[in-house]
Amino acid sequence: MAQIRCIGVLTSGGDAPGMNAAIRAVTRAAIYNNLKVVGIKRGYYGLVYNEMEEFGSKSVSNIIQQGGTILKTARCKEFTTPEGRAKAYENMQQSGIDALVVIGGDGSLSGARIFAEEYDIPIVGLPGTIDNDLGGTDETIGYDTALNTIVEAVDKIRDTATSHERLFLVEVMGHMAGYLALNGAIASGAEAAIIPEMETEIDQLGDLINRGFRKSKNSAIVLVAENPATGGALGLAQRIKEEFPEYDARVTILGHLQRGGSPTAADRILASKMGAQAITALLEGQRNVMIGTKNGELVYVPFSKATKHSSTIDRGDMEIVKILSI
Ligand code: ATP
């Protein structure tokens, strides 16, 4: 196996708080190990269109507390084609980059897997997404911050919900995974979470109404995971209007504010540990793996497993929301 002398680092897909802490950790751990570092701009776009710059230790000063990503992120169509990846490989060769650290979600890691296999390149991934929807890891970078942002927002919505005695449907992100909605509901004391994982099991809205939640309360907050199949919170509000017109339902879509803000301490720590481990992994000869966590320990997760969407939502947690909302 060829010796690694220079690594490229990029952030791809949706931005997530803590990506900067990860870039910092990757850069500094690489320099500590006498490797050259190249920062690649706008995800795979920067590889295909040669937008890169050499990074020193100072390039990543004062960013651990910043949301977003200093490398920028993008979705790059060209990289999904063999021609685009050939250009990316050529640019990598010319810049002397012999390994990559890719920080992103399942799409980004799927791209990394294909690229690594096609050109026999060592690539290590970091789970950078607020959705927490990657396989083989308990946590992803950005999830904890987004969860805290949701809780802060729902606390505010509760004030108006209580004053007006209304039912509020608060839509949160999640990319077809219910982690943000479910844990957001537990943390904010919401009356219910409506998540894609339960969609085929029960009529979650009907169940909530039939529970008669209004008997003991004058207002309710329901966290709804985004879901094109049901139309999310707006789709449910329409159903309430048609099927349960006695309820005065309002919709709040939290949207992109969930992605922003300074990362929490937990996300900074996770990103820093995972970033440093990515360099250790590459130097150990690991390739085609994502750094994950299992029960508090860092683990290597093959890309094939990381990108397989397998929700580990605990049905017992759904019960907790119900039990605690009586
Ligand atoms: P998020 O979970 O926040 O949406 P993501 O990493 O899943 O992030 P995507 O838009 O799915 O975001 O993917 C990011 C980029 O990864 C794409 O724009 C594309 O360049 C690359 N990519 C995704 N899937 C593939 C694939 N099958 N082959 C090659 N490249 C891919």
Side-chain angles (χ1 to χ4, degrees), residues 75-306:
R75 310 205 193 256
C76 175
K77 233 184 173 161
E78 293 87 335
F79 193 76
T80 61
T81 66
E83 297 76 27
R85 291 193 296 275
K87 264 166 79 181
Y89 182 65
E90 208 174 289
N91 288 331
M92 249 184 88
Q93 294 277 81
Q94 274 180 10
S95 312
I97 300 170
D98 26 48
L100 286 178
V101 177
V102 171
I103 307 165
D106 62 341
S108 304
L109 299 185
S110 298
R113 180 188 176 192
I114 291 166
F115 195 42
E117 283 168 2
E118 227 166 25
Y119 291 98
D120 195 24
I121 308 162
I123 306 185
V124 167
L126 296 185
T129 168
I130 64 166
D131 303 332
N132 206 31
D133 62 343
L134 287 162
T137 186
D138 290 340
E139 300 136 311
T140 59
I141 297 165
Y143 171 66
D144 184 68
T145 306
L147 196 52
N148 278 283
T149 303
I150 289 168
V151 171
E152 211 176 293
V154 173
D155 286 350
K156 291 186 173 143
I157 291 167
R158 188 174 286 288
D159 291 343
T160 176
T162 314
S163 304
H164 280 281
E165 306 189 283
R166 278 179 179 146
L167 166 63
F168 261 88
L169 301 169
V170 182
E171 183 175 301
V172 301
M173 286 183 167
H175 197 237
M176 296 308 288
Y179 296 100
L180 285 171
L182 177 54
N183 288 315
I186 294 175
S188 61
E191 277 62 33
I194 294 187
I195 62 172
E197 289 86 343
M198 300 288 285
E199 199 178 294
T200 54
E201 293 180 26
I202 53 161
D203 173 9
Q204 299 174 84
L205 180 64
D207 179 60
L208 169 73
I209 306 276
N210 292 333
R211 262 200 264 153
F213 67 93
R214 262 255 161 122
K215 284 184 194 132
S216 57
K217 296 187 176 188
N218 294 327
S219 66
I221 291 185
V222 179
L223 264 66
V224 181
E226 61 184 357
N227 184 352
T230 59
L234 285 170
L236 293 177
Q238 187 58 32
R239 257 195 74 192
I240 291 173
K241 214 168 158 188
E242 287 160 13
E243 296 172 35
F244 311 100
E246 65 275 28
Y247 292 100
D248 181 17
R250 298 295 156 105
V251 170
T252 301
I253 297 174
L254 293 186
H256 283 82
L257 73 83
Q258 295 163 87
R259 290 233 185 114
S262 182
T264 58
D267 269 332
R268 296 181 200 196
I269 293 167
L270 186 69
S272 299
K273 287 185 179 176
M274 285 181 161
Q277 191 66 34
I279 299 304
T280 306
L282 284 170
L283 294 175
E284 273 176 5
Q286 294 283 346
R287 41 172 65 206
N288 272 348
V289 292
M290 178 191 81
I291 311 294
T293 60
K294 259 284 147 280
N295 304 322
E297 299 284 324
L298 293 175
V299 292
Y300 297 142
V301 185
F303 282 155
S304 52
K305 185 174 173 192

